Amino acid sequence: MTWSITPEPYDSPVAAALWRAYYTEVSDRWYLLHEGRRTDPDELERGIAAATGAELTPPTGQLLVGRYDGEPAGCAGVRLLEPDTAELTRVFVYERARGRGGAPLLVAAAEEAARALGARRLILDTRSDLVEARSLYARLGYTETGPHNDDFYAEHWFRKELALN
């Protein structure tokens, strides 16, 4: 069983399924933690529709899909915010494929995609309850920094200087 990672159009059926799974999981985790309930289905649909991922399109962005043994299993996206700074976003692995090394591979592929876009650094934000994500980023050399945005859900901000190839 092996991983392969390739660019994917943000609006492909595979990308849409991964986005739905990602958004559902992080939204449900937030609502369960803060309100003791899952995301309202109508609110979930509005949130999914509002964040299409169109910014993850070349020449200023890229969505990558990881396949485990040929089946879609995860994703990661990058988008340029400034000529030398890209944002890492939508890092997600289906639960059934977790623990098999996909997340570090997806992040590494996203770092390479960011370099190809001209970025010299990657930034990202995440939440306190996403402890797995925070642990992953720290393990991969991302340093926690001060806020770089005012996103309501952002509680932790990270950055990594990208080595030139």
Side-chain angles (χ1 to χ4, degrees):
M1 305 267 184
T2 60
W3 283 92
S4 63
I5 299 172
T6 56
E8 182 84 21
Y10 78 93
D11 57 353
S12 76
V14 166
L18 283 158
W19 173 233
R20 176 172 290 281
Y22 168 87
Y23 193 87
T24 300
E25 182 173 327
V26 297
S27 182
D28 279 353
R29 282 177 71 162
W30 192 89
Y31 277 108
L32 285 167
L33 178 65
H34 295 282
E35 297 185 14
R37 65 174 178 87
R38 294 196 179 280
T39 312
D40 175 86
D42 290 336
E43 183 178 5
L44 183 67
E45 293 306 316
R46 285 191 304 274
I48 290 169
T52 66
E55 69 279 6
L56 303 177
T57 302
T60 58
Q62 184 71 68
L63 178 67
L64 301 161
V65 168
R67 288 175 170 79
Y68 185 71
D69 199 29
E71 294 296 317
C75 60
V78 292
R79 66 181 182 138
L80 280 177
L81 299 177
E82 298 174 6
D84 62 352
T85 303
E87 179 183 35
L88 177 63
T89 185
R90 295 194 187 196
V91 177
F92 174 75
V93 175
Y94 283 129
E95 188 172 355
R96 67 179 183 270
R98 292 179 186 162
R100 296 188 169 123
L105 293 173
L106 282 160
V107 172
E111 290 172 0
E112 191 58 39
R115 280 187 203 92
L117 295 171
R120 295 189 345 228
R121 80 188 50 79
L122 267 175
I123 61 173
L124 65 96
D125 65 69
T126 191
R127 299 188 326 230
S128 293
D129 63 306
L130 301 177
V131 293
E132 307 90 341
R134 291 184 9 246
S135 175
L136 171 71
Y137 300 133
R139 227 176 28 252
L140 297 178
Y142 287 78
T143 303
E144 193 156 358
T145 66
H148 61 258
N149 63 25
D150 60 359
D151 184 304
F152 176 79
Y153 297 104
E155 297 171 311
H156 297 270
W157 295 264
F158 289 83
R159 80 183 275 151
K160 182 177 183 179
E161 297 298 320
L162 299 174
L164 298 176
N165 288 342

